[in-house]
Amino acid sequence: MSNGKLLVVGELNVDLILNQIHAFPQLGKETIADEMNVCLGSSSAIMAANSAALGVDTTFCGVVGDDDFGGFILRELERKSVNCARVKQIPGQKTGCTIVMSYGQDRANVTFPGAMHALTLHDIPFETPSAYQHLHVSSVFLQQGILRDIEQLLIRAKAAGMTTSLDLQWDPAEQWAFDYARCLPYVDVFMPNESELLALTGAESINSALEEIRPYLNTLALKMGSKGSMGVRGDQQMMAPAFEGKQFVDAIGAGDSFNAGFIRKYMTGAGLEECLREGNLMGALNTTAAGGTGAFDNRQQLSEHIQELWGIELSLP
């Protein structure tokens, strides 16, 4: 199995995760969390780190500040075997940080973007022929420098010979200023969750949202939480069931781990059903440890854990 060359473009931040919170915070009041972790955050970095853990040759393109958080992120990415040659540390900038208040299957986040806005189209390597097989872009609404040129970014990636995937993530401003009719034809795999797809299209149901974007789609990998995932490609539409969680800790980064599993299989030329199944498996594995990358720290233990929980023998390069 080829381990491919994956280029991930996106935001970088640390996550400060609070678990086992006694009550939801209220203004003027204080509550207690029984667990706290500081770890590598951001949708993009979690996808990149877990792709590398699955044996995919992975490079990250992004920016951090010249502070302790920036140094922590670079050390964590390198420890997880992600190539950071395309990550810039910008003097005078602060690195982004997200405070994550985790409540079982859901969470509330507060993000300080910091240096995220400094990443632009000009920072991304588009040599032809490309050194990379696949480009994954995530969290564009947190990156104004990327959002304004997202169509050109995708066009240049395709011109360089890369396949592409996109996970918009939530728009904190709830403006959803993404022209999907213009951009999605250049996206090989579009990877929203249900809430994001409904908000983007303004539709009242998933079926209506699908009809709205179907003319512009190549492949849709729709994340549906405990219901699993849905794949759409041309006239093909299928559901892939979720893997039952037997050791749930939190769901932080589960969607990003789905992305890592799906794209790993996609880069090998696997069919849609196999890609969805691998995505669901990695999303389920993610929930067995705190944070987005905790379950992927050790490749041997990762395989053993999957065998123990679901009786599946994972083949890694």
Side-chain angles (χ1 to χ4, degrees), residues 111-306:
T111 292
F112 165 69
M116 293 177 192
H117 296 322
L119 184 68
T120 71
L121 183 67
H122 305 293
D123 297 310
I124 302 168
F126 289 122
E127 299 91 351
T128 303
S130 178
Y132 307 101
Q133 175 185 341
H134 185 89
L135 170 73
H136 179 78
V137 183
S138 187
S139 299
V140 296
F141 297 115
L142 288 176
Q143 304 172 85
Q144 293 303 309
I146 292 297
L147 179 60
R148 65 172 174 257
D149 290 320
I150 186 63
E151 183 183 4
Q152 280 302 308
L153 187 160
L154 294 165
I155 290 172
R156 290 192 188 184
K158 297 297 291 180
M162 287 184 271
T163 51
T164 60
S165 54
L166 175 66
D167 184 351
L168 287 173
Q169 297 281 312
W170 190 256
D171 178 10
E174 299 193 35
Q175 298 298 309
W176 299 96
F178 173 75
D179 191 340
Y180 54 83
R182 292 175 63 93
C183 294
L184 287 185
Y186 303 105
V187 177
D188 291 296
V189 186
F190 184 43
M191 313 185 82
N193 65 26
E194 291 179 283
S195 298
E196 292 156 2
L197 182 61
L198 292 173
L200 175 66
T201 60
E204 295 184 357
S205 70
I206 293 299
N207 285 338
S208 297
L210 290 177
E211 290 309 306
E212 177 67 29
I213 66 167
R214 194 184 289 270
Y216 317 108
L217 279 177
N218 290 300
T219 297
L220 173 72
L222 182 66
K223 292 167 281 193
M224 305 179 75
S226 61
K227 294 178 287 186
S229 59
M230 176 190 294
V232 177
R233 179 182 293 163
D235 294 332
Q236 185 182 22
Q237 182 170 321
M238 65 180 66
M239 289 292 301
F243 287 83
E244 183 182 350
K246 301 178 180 179
Q247 190 179 306
F248 183 86
V249 176
D250 66 47
I252 295 163
D256 309 312
S257 296
F258 172 94
N259 293 349
F262 186 104
I263 295 302
R264 179 177 91 98
K265 283 295 185 182
Y266 180 84
M267 290 173 68
T268 68
L272 182 57
E273 184 175 9
E274 188 177 355
C275 292
L276 291 169
R277 183 175 182 274
E278 183 90 350
N280 289 349
L281 179 61
M282 295 309 156
L285 175 66
N286 176 285
T287 68
T288 65
T293 63
F296 293 78
D297 261 353
N298 182 293
R299 187 182 298 185
Q300 182 178 347
Q301 290 178 5
L302 181 159
S303 297
E304 292 172 353
H305 204 188
I306 287 176

Side-chain angles (χ1 to χ4, degrees), residues 58-76:
T58 304
T59 295
F60 200 97
C61 180
V63 294
V64 293
D66 62 344
D67 51 14
D68 290 343
F69 281 168
F72 172 81
I73 287 170
L74 287 171
R75 289 191 300 273
E76 281 296 287

